[in-house]
């Protein structure tokens, strides 16, 4: 049933990982399986057997050809450096080549205590597994580079966090699990050879065009390429009101994917200072800070690459500094491109940034729902839309802004209908709203009822298309169900 595994990461020197077999669970049960993704990965679905799949996705059986390892990495967590983190509850089964010829990691998350667990149990509660499954797949459908969810299995045992909860294992698929923290792990040990190995692997796997660069130039180009992908990624987050919640360097993917959906959330009432993570007491990873935290993380990557960029340390630092400084205008251009699309603007004009920022200010003043405000804006291309206005507690700023926007739209070479259509193609109607995800988790964890999970998953598979009868999925949380704090689950 499984595709053929390759063993590239497991063929690196032993200091890159620790070999680790997943710890079996007592009663694995497959509760979610992503058949389209499995097909794309090369699974033989004609031979699919649910009981065997549950054993594999729980870690009770290891697929033929897999060599499970726990990867070594370090990381800055909320600005504080930890030199030894590593996969404390995850195991990389191996890599497969998908039907498009791309190499993909397959990893079990919640597979038991590893040598990197630092005293923790290595398990995952069902709630965070379902959250990551729903949110990561929603992000994929929203067009955001992301890790994917292949399967979720309940374990038949309880795990203890704030309260006892059902245990589960998530099967995650990624372009790779190379992180900024992976480079930091070896740089902190002055292991330049290992950093060199990682950089070459990253180029081969994610940026093959850079292999044509001669000598040390390719490593500066690698830093530039990673910075470009991070700028694009975070701009997409900002355009969706997505807050990652834990942008530590060990959660910053070299491939430019969103990785590790812990205390993540989508904003409802727009506020640039919004924080959901229960452990982010200082607001380090607030919505408005995300672009600059990404830049900070990139600076930490740059530090690890200094010996590779130039033999002259001062020259290497100067080159790397220019790349990090160039991130800001690159990100600003990406952000503006995202918000131009959201406002229905295909042409580029000098005042577009101010127009976008003024709309966000109107959202903040009116405490309006971020997602629905952009969606309903398409109805206001020519005339005021009651559905848009009702989102605002105070619509004074919006009333001042709408004529400016319509005046700008008049210079677009498109009909109002065409403008509205292209806005609806980038402004989703359905996102994984916090209260809906919590309802799903409660039904599954407390009543073993996965029907709400399946229903929400189906809705989120088509985020831009109106789905009659499912209007409730587009609505913000009632006052009694607002989720203001989210938790990591580790």
């Amino acid at each position: 049933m499984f595709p053929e595994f390759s063993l590239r990461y497991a063929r690196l020197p032993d200091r890159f990982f620790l070999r680790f077999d997943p710890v079996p669970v007592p009663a694995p049960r497959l509760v979610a399986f992503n058949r389209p993704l499995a097909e794309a990965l090369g699974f033989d679905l004609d031979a699919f057997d649910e009981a065997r799949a549950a054993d594999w996705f729980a870690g009770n059986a290891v697929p033929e050809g897999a060599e499970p390892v726990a990867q070594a990495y370090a990381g800055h967590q909320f600005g504080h450096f930890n030199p030894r983190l590593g996969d404390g509850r995850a195991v990389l089964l191996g890599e497969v080549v998908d039907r498009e010829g791309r190499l993909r990691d397959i990893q079990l998350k919640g597979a038991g205590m590893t040598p990197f667990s630092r005293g923790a149990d290595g398990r995952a509660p069902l709630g965070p597994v379902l959250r990551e499954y729903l949110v990561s797949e929603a992000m994929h459908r929203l067009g955001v580079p992301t890790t994917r969810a292949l399967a979720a299995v309940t374990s038949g045992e309880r795990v203890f966090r704030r309260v006892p909860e059902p245990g589960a294992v998530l099967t995650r698929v990624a372009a790779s699990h190379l992180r900024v923290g992976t480079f930091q792990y070896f740089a902190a040990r002055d292991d330049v050879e290992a950093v060199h190995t990682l950089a070459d692997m990253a180029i081969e796997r994610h940026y093959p065009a850079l292999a044509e660069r001669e000598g040390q130039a390719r490593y500066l180009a690698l830093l530039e390429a990673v910075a470009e992908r991070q700028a694009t990624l975070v701009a997409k987050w900002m355009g969706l009101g997505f807050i990652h919640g834990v942008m530590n360097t060990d959660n910053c993917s070299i491939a430019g994917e969103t990785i590790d959906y812990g205390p993540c959330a989508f904003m409802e009432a727009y506020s640039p200072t919004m924080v959901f993570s229960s452990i982010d007491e200082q607001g380090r990873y607030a919505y408005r800070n995300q672009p600059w935290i990404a830049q900070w993380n990139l600076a930490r990557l740059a530090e690890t690459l200094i010996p590779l960029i130039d033999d002259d340390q001062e020259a290497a630092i100067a080159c790397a500094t220019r790349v990090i400084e160039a991130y800001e205008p690159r990100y600003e251009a990406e952000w503006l491109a995202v918000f131009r699309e959201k406002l229905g603007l295909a042409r580029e004009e000098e005042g577009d940034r101010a127009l976008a920022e003024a709309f966000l200010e109107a959202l903040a003043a009116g405490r309006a729902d971020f997602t629905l405000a952009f969606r309903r804006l398409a109805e206001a291309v020519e005339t005021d839309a009651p559905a848009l206005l009702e989102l605002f507690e105070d619509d004074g700023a919006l009333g001042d802004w709408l004529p400016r926007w319509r005046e700008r739209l008049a210079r677009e070479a498109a009909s109002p209908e065409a403008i509205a259509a292209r806005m609806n193609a980038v402004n989703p109607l359905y996102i994984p709203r916090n209260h809906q995800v919590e309802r799903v988790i409660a039904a599954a964890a407390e009543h073993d009822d996965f029907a709400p999970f399946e229903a929400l998953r189906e809705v989120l598979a088509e985020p831009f298309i109106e789905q009659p009868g499912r209007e409730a999925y587009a609505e913000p949380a009632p006052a009694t169900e607002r989720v203001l704090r989210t938790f990591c689950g580790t």
Side-chain angles (χ1 to χ4, degrees):
M1 185 183 86
F2 265 84
E4 182 179 352
F5 277 88
S6 57
L7 308 167
R8 302 182 193 191
Y9 203 88
R11 291 293 174 262
L12 293 176
D14 288 347
R15 64 189 187 278
F16 285 81
F17 57 81
L18 293 171
R19 296 191 183 277
F20 161 72
D21 286 329
V23 180
V25 302
R29 177 165 62 102
L30 187 67
V31 294
F33 180 56
N34 191 335
R35 294 185 72 90
L37 178 56
E39 173 68 23
L41 290 170
F43 278 69
D44 180 3
L45 296 183
D46 291 336
F48 182 79
D49 178 272
E50 187 167 314
R52 290 173 63 203
D55 278 337
W56 281 328
F57 294 134
N60 283 21
V62 176
E64 184 177 352
E67 292 189 21
V69 299
Q71 293 174 288
Y73 55 82
H76 276 88
Q77 299 181 305
F78 293 89
H80 302 287
F81 185 63
N82 187 327
R84 191 177 189 271
L85 294 172
D87 287 329
R89 58 172 178 156
V91 56
L92 176 64
L93 287 181
E95 302 121 353
V96 301
V97 178
D98 69 14
R99 294 187 187 277
E100 295 185 19
R102 301 173 301 180
L103 197 62
R104 289 289 180 266
D105 280 3
I106 296 185
Q107 183 196 67
L108 302 182
K109 191 173 181 181
M113 188 180 296
T114 83
F116 293 111
S117 292
R118 304 185 304 282
D121 61 12
R123 293 303 189 188
L126 178 59
V129 165
L130 296 184
R131 175 181 291 274
E132 179 158 351
Y133 196 114
L134 288 168
V135 179
S136 64
E137 285 304 297
M139 292 285 268
H140 172 69
R141 296 288 186 166
L142 290 164
V144 180
T146 180
T147 59
R148 302 283 306 278
L150 177 60
V153 174
T154 53
S155 64
E157 62 185 5
R158 310 290 282 186
V159 298
F160 294 83
R161 297 297 182 261
R162 290 171 294 157
V163 295
E165 301 174 65
V169 181
L170 176 76
T171 304
R172 181 164 73 185
V173 178
S176 82
H177 285 84
L178 294 179
R179 314 155 186 263
V180 170
T182 318
F183 285 76
Q184 289 182 294
Y185 180 86
F186 295 103
R189 290 158 175 77
D190 295 321
D191 191 343
V192 176
E193 180 185 16
V195 174
H196 205 150
T197 298
L198 286 173
D200 286 340
M201 173 176 282
I203 289 170
E204 178 186 1
R205 189 158 181 171
H206 303 304
Y207 306 96
L210 301 185
E212 300 175 1
R213 301 287 184 96
E214 294 184 1
Q216 294 173 312
R218 72 178 62 181
Y219 303 111
L220 183 63
L222 172 63
L223 180 61
E224 292 173 334
V226 175
E228 183 174 345
R229 286 198 187 175
Q230 286 295 319
T232 301
L233 176 66
V234 177
K236 288 180 179 291
W237 290 358
M238 302 297 279
L240 293 169
F242 175 75
I243 301 172
H244 184 278
V246 61
M247 289 179 66
N248 299 329
T249 56
D250 54 295
N251 294 334
C252 183
S253 164
I254 298 300
E257 292 183 329
T258 313
I259 189 171
D260 283 344
Y261 292 88
C264 61
F266 287 79
M267 271 195 301
E268 293 195 330
Y270 175 72
S271 169
T273 60
M274 182 63 71
V275 175
F276 286 94
S277 171
S278 63
I279 56 177
D280 190 2
E281 297 177 354
Q282 304 301 318
R284 176 181 174 86
Y285 300 142
Y287 172 79
R288 69 179 179 187
N289 292 342
Q290 292 183 130
W292 320 123
I293 291 297
Q295 185 181 37
W296 191 90
N297 289 345
L298 288 165
R300 307 289 76 76
L301 175 63
E303 290 167 351
T304 73
L305 296 176
I306 291 301
L308 278 61
I309 291 172
D310 199 298
D311 294 334
D312 182 329
Q313 187 180 64
E314 289 188 8
I317 291 172
C319 289
T321 299
R322 285 194 291 272
V323 172
I324 300 306
E325 290 175 346
Y327 165 88
E328 183 172 352
R330 180 181 289 116
Y331 165 75
E332 294 290 356
E334 294 286 351
W335 182 92
L336 184 54
V338 166
F339 279 87
R340 274 198 177 106
E341 282 193 331
K342 292 179 73 67
L343 294 177
L345 309 178
R347 299 177 63 244
E348 297 182 8
E349 293 191 8
E350 188 174 341
D352 291 346
R353 173 174 294 280
L355 187 69
E357 290 173 344
F359 184 61
L360 293 176
E361 290 168 3
L363 294 185
R367 298 284 299 161
D369 184 85
F370 182 91
T371 300
L372 285 184
F374 275 103
R375 180 72 181 195
R376 294 181 184 178
L377 189 61
E379 302 169 11
V381 172
E382 293 186 286
T383 60
D384 288 346
L388 172 64
L389 298 177
E390 71 181 13
L391 295 174
F392 288 75
E393 295 177 6
D394 178 349
D395 62 9
L398 177 68
D400 294 337
W401 181 85
L402 283 170
R404 293 173 53 196
W405 174 61
R406 294 192 186 107
E407 180 184 359
R408 171 65 180 83
L409 289 181
R411 296 192 292 276
E412 291 288 314
S415 67
E417 294 77 14
I419 291 172
R422 69 192 186 204
M423 291 175 68
N424 286 337
V426 298
N427 290 317
L429 180 57
Y430 306 103
I431 57 170
R433 292 181 178 271
N434 304 335
H435 69 293
Q436 293 165 354
V437 174
E438 291 300 322
R439 287 176 185 173
V440 162
I441 290 171
E446 297 171 16
H447 306 290
D448 197 34
D449 180 4
F450 288 86
F453 169 84
E454 289 296 336
L456 181 56
R457 182 167 71 152
E458 187 175 323
V459 169
L460 296 174
E462 297 289 353
F464 301 103
I465 299 173
E466 290 191 26
Q467 302 176 41
R470 292 170 165 171
E471 290 80 7
Y473 287 98
E475 293 300 315
T480 56
E481 290 189 64
R482 288 176 185 158
V483 177
L484 300 178
R485 287 290 177 266
T486 50
F487 300 87
C488 192
T490 54

